[in-house]
Amino acid sequence: MSNGYLKYYKPSVLIGLVAFLGIAIYFAKDYWHLSVSIVGIISLILLAIDNWLWKTKLFSWMFWVDNFSGRYEGFLEYEYRDEYCNVKKGKLKHVKIVHQSGSKISIFSFTIKEDNTPSSLSESKGMFVEKMNGEKHYQLIYTYLNDGNSELKFPPHYGTEIIKFIRNGKVKELSGRYFTERLPFSTKGKFLELKWISNNQSHDF
């Protein structure tokens, strides 16, 4: 279960829950003479947990990952080479929006340019999560696809981000770094002070 739909569930807890539900539904069917599908009911319960109940106190213990979802705002320090191979550096406001369910984590990112308009959108295309620092923090590693910007002559490109998630009570924060395959020269940078500000997951596009 390390990969796939159920990869964020604790295996022993999931197996125990499925077994308990199967037995309970079987005896309920027999007692009340119900004509229902055990597999169907268990699937509906798991679907409800996966989509809505996973982040509640009653069900969050079933998962080994934390709740990363929400909107984070902070800064991005970037470095790239222009068409003349000159190194360009800077710092801009950066936003990450984390969509999460019990079985999937997706991250959408964009930067606020100097004219206060959003940059092209980046969307995660793969996700690997691991615990680190004595299982106190989490590291998220994923590839992403950036839409590019025709006005700035930036083509669509793939990149990789390595993000560290830290929770201190109710305070949640992201930090990390990225690099891309953008042509004609690759780019790189790091994320600073990306703090969770709300559960709002709407996009600025």
Side-chain angles (χ1 to χ4, degrees), residues 153-198:
K153 298 182 180 179
F154 290 161
H157 59 272
Y158 282 95
T160 299
E161 294 189 355
I162 303 169
I163 301 296
K164 183 178 181 181
F165 172 86
I166 298 176
R167 177 194 288 272
N168 184 8
K170 294 183 178 180
V171 178
K172 297 192 288 186
E173 185 173 350
L174 301 176
S175 62
R177 63 192 188 276
Y178 74 92
F179 53 90
T180 78
E181 59 154 16
R182 198 176 74 188
L183 300 174
F185 304 106
S186 61
T187 62
K188 63 180 181 179
K190 56 185 178 180
F191 306 107
L192 304 171
E193 302 174 7
L194 281 170
K195 299 183 183 297
W196 182 92
I197 62 168
S198 74

Side-chain angles (χ1 to χ4, degrees), residues 40 108-109 113 117 121 140 144 168-169 186:
F108 297 82
S109 308
K113 298 181 290 188
T117 60
L121 183 68
L140 289 71
Y144 67 87
N168 184 8
S186 61

Side-chain angles (χ1 to χ4, degrees), residues 7-198:
K7 63 182 177 180
Y8 299 128
Y9 289 78
K10 295 177 182 176
S12 59
V13 172
L14 180 62
I15 292 171
L17 177 64
V18 171
F20 171 79
L21 289 174
I23 294 172
I25 296 169
Y26 174 80
F27 282 108
K29 283 181 59 176
D30 185 62
Y31 184 80
W32 283 294
H33 305 287
L34 301 175
S35 179
V36 295
S37 168
I38 295 177
V39 174
I41 294 177
I42 292 176
S43 297
L44 288 175
I45 293 173
L46 291 179
L47 184 65
I49 293 173
D50 186 73
N51 285 286
W52 303 289
L53 303 176
W54 66 273
K55 53 187 174 183
T56 65
K57 291 183 178 180
L58 184 61
F59 292 94
S60 61
W61 59 275
M62 294 180 58
F63 303 86
W64 62 267
V65 298
D66 205 333
N67 179 4
F68 311 122
S69 61
R71 182 185 179 98
Y72 297 77
E73 293 186 2
F75 298 94
L76 176 148
E77 284 189 353
Y78 62 86
E79 179 180 328
Y80 72 95
R81 292 180 182 272
D82 62 16
E83 63 270 27
Y84 305 106
C85 206
N86 297 316
V87 176
K88 301 290 185 179
K89 297 182 179 181
K91 183 178 180 180
L92 295 170
K93 183 179 178 181
H94 187 71
V95 178
K96 288 193 182 299
I97 300 172
V98 182
H99 294 266
Q100 185 173 351
S101 68
S103 60
K104 185 177 181 180
I105 301 170
S106 299
I107 300 180
F108 297 82
S109 308
F110 59 92
T111 300
I112 305 299
K113 298 181 290 188
E114 294 179 352
D115 62 0
N116 209 36
T117 60
S119 70
S120 52
L121 183 68
S122 295
E123 179 181 353
S124 62
K125 294 298 181 181
M127 181 67 62
F128 173 76
V129 182
E130 63 178 346
K131 289 186 176 181
M132 56 185 300
N133 293 358
E135 298 196 347
K136 295 179 180 179
H137 304 150
Y138 292 84
Q139 182 168 264
L140 289 71
I141 304 173
Y142 54 91
T143 58
Y144 67 87
L145 176 63
N146 183 276
D147 293 338
N149 189 313
S150 58
E151 293 180 2
L152 298 177
K153 298 182 180 179
F154 290 161
H157 59 272
Y158 282 95
T160 299
E161 294 189 355
I162 303 169
I163 301 296
K164 183 178 181 181
F165 172 86
I166 298 176
R167 177 194 288 272
N168 184 8
K170 294 183 178 180
V171 178
K172 297 192 288 186
E173 185 173 350
L174 301 176
S175 62
R177 63 192 188 276
Y178 74 92
F179 53 90
T180 78
E181 59 154 16
R182 198 176 74 188
L183 300 174
F185 304 106
S186 61
T187 62
K188 63 180 181 179
K190 56 185 178 180
F191 306 107
L192 304 171
E193 302 174 7
L194 281 170
K195 299 183 183 297
W196 182 92
I197 62 168
S198 74

